[in-house]
Structures are given as structure tokens and as C-alpha cells.
Amino acid sequence: MAKLLLLEDEVDYRQEIADFLRSEGHQVMEAGSAAEFMPLMDVMDIALIDVGLPDGDGLEVAARLRQYRNKCGIIMLTAQGGVNYKITGLRDGADHYLVKPVRYDELLAHISALERRMGLGGWRLDSVERKLYAPNGHAEVLSEYELKLFELLAAQAGQAVSRRTIANAFGADWLDYDERRLEQIVSRLRRRWRENCPEELPFRTEHGKGYSFCADIEVF
């Protein structure tokens, strides 16, 4: 998962954006000036840079960053929405140029696009918040049983997990367990995912064996 570095001098606005991104499962570092930003360039993957700074020009910071770390991702955040500003920002090294106030769903989509380009996007399971994240940034809240199911699937790294193992993890006695309950849990999950996310869920029924998740998944 990408490490984000947010450069924004307005404290309240910076905190608002950072809190949102953290709620979506991202790691976020914050800087209020170019001076605070520079020492952190080595430990981030994607930079979110405001153009207007108290000690410099965000476009110049982006250009320096691009020269220093060519393969990083750069998103400019600015109140300047003119075409010439956008052209300058993109020409000087930015990957995306967003006009404030930024729509958070749009910002998340641009971050996800950069993660895919950089090979950093992927499936993620947040065990604390009980959320499954798709590579496109969509998050689905899981039930207690769904979370246990995905924790088992993630631990098996693409291998089939038997229905008996799943039932035991649910705290049920396999000899008395009605497998239709598990099938209903899986069916509801698949239906909800299809309705809410265009990204296909790589969740497979292994006939005669159980279930598997056919993609790498990071658990945190």
C-alpha cells in the first residue's frame, strides 16, 4: 500500500483530508511547509502537494520531487483552476491536478489510479475496521462472519479453505453445522459486492473443497 505525504499549509483542511484518507486505510504523513516536506521525500510513494505554500511554490516543490524521485506519484491540490495552471503543473511533473475544494471520492480515485500504475494497489483487509478494500479503492464493511472468512482465505494465500475449517472458525460444531448457512453468507456477500463495486471479487467456490481468494491480499 502506498505511503502518502500531504503538503498543505492550512492546518484544518490538511487534517480533514488526512483523516479521510486514513479512514480509507491509507498511511498518511503531513507537512505544513516545503521545509517540512523535503526531509520526508525518501519515505513516501505518492505526494499530495498544495500550490500555495508559506515558504515556496508547490509547483517548484513538485518539479524538484520529480527530479529527485522520478517514479513517485504526484497530485497537485490547488485553488487555481485555469487551464494554464493545469498545463504548467502537469508539465512540471504532476501526474494529476485537482482543484480545491477537492471531492474526496475523486481524490481517492486518483490515488488508486496512481497505485495501480506504480504497482502498489491491491486487495486489503482491515481487521480492526472490518473492511475489505478493492484495488480501485472501494471499501466494503464486512460482517463478523465475513471477516473471519476473509482472514482464513488471506492466511491460505490462494489455497482452498475447507467448509469444515470455516465452520470451526465460526465457532460451530461441524457435525451439527448446516452448510446452507455458509452458502447464504457467501451468496449475500457476492450479491452486495456486485451491487456496490465494479471490481470483480476474486472469491472462488472450489467444488468439493471449499472456497479460495484468487489474489494477493494484505491484512492489517
Side-chain angles (χ1 to χ4, degrees):
M1 185 171 61
K3 295 182 178 65
L4 308 181
L5 175 53
L6 173 60
L7 173 55
E8 166 64 58
D9 66 310
E10 295 182 26
V11 178
D12 290 342
Y13 189 57
R14 183 178 73 239
Q15 192 62 60
E16 184 179 322
I17 295 176
D19 287 346
F20 167 75
L21 293 173
R22 290 185 182 114
S23 74
E24 293 295 321
H26 288 285
Q27 303 175 60
V28 184
M29 297 173 288
E30 300 177 45
S33 65
E36 293 178 2
F37 177 89
M38 294 303 177
L40 299 174
M41 290 194 301
D42 283 322
V43 293
M44 64 87 203
D45 300 303
I46 297 175
L48 314 175
I49 302 175
D50 181 31
V51 170
L53 299 172
D55 59 345
D57 185 332
L59 294 175
E60 294 178 0
V61 172
R64 291 177 60 184
L65 175 58
R66 178 62 70 204
Q67 184 176 20
Y68 179 66
R69 294 192 57 194
N70 183 53
K71 295 183 179 181
C72 71
I74 300 176
I75 298 176
M76 303 303 301
L77 307 176
T78 176
Q80 302 293 344
V83 173
N84 289 336
Y85 284 101
K86 291 184 179 182
I87 292 174
T88 300
L90 295 171
R91 185 187 60 205
D92 289 350
D95 296 288
H96 302 276
Y97 190 104
L98 303 180
V99 178
K100 296 191 295 185
V102 177
R103 282 185 50 176
Y104 289 165
D105 56 348
E106 182 182 6
L107 175 60
L108 196 63
H110 283 282
I111 291 172
S112 296
L114 277 177
E115 286 181 324
R116 289 194 296 272
R117 176 179 69 78
M118 299 167 67
L120 297 171
W123 293 90
R124 295 173 288 138
L125 180 64
D126 186 336
S127 297
V128 177
E129 297 291 333
R130 288 201 333 215
K131 290 182 179 180
L132 177 66
Y133 293 88
N136 67 1
H138 174 77
E140 194 71 28
V141 178
L142 304 176
S143 70
E144 181 181 353
Y145 287 138
E146 290 168 348
L147 175 62
K148 289 181 179 179
L149 174 58
F150 276 103
E151 287 176 335
L152 289 172
L153 296 172
Q156 291 298 317
Q159 301 300 312
V161 178
S162 71
R163 290 177 174 83
R164 181 169 187 165
T165 298
I166 296 169
N168 290 338
F170 288 172
D173 184 340
W174 173 245
L175 296 179
D176 297 327
Y177 188 70
D178 185 349
E179 292 186 53
R180 288 175 297 183
R181 293 178 57 189
L182 176 57
E183 292 169 359
Q184 290 172 355
I185 291 171
V186 170
S187 177
R188 287 195 296 267
L189 170 65
R190 283 174 165 157
R191 182 172 60 252
R192 193 170 78 249
W193 190 271
R194 285 196 302 269
E195 292 172 351
N196 297 333
C197 182
E199 186 104 12
E200 182 180 357
L201 185 67
F203 181 83
R204 178 179 299 173
T205 299
E206 304 287 354
H207 296 288
K209 297 180 181 179
Y211 300 96
S212 64
F213 194 81
C214 305
D216 292 332
I217 181 169
E218 177 188 6
V219 181
F220 62 99

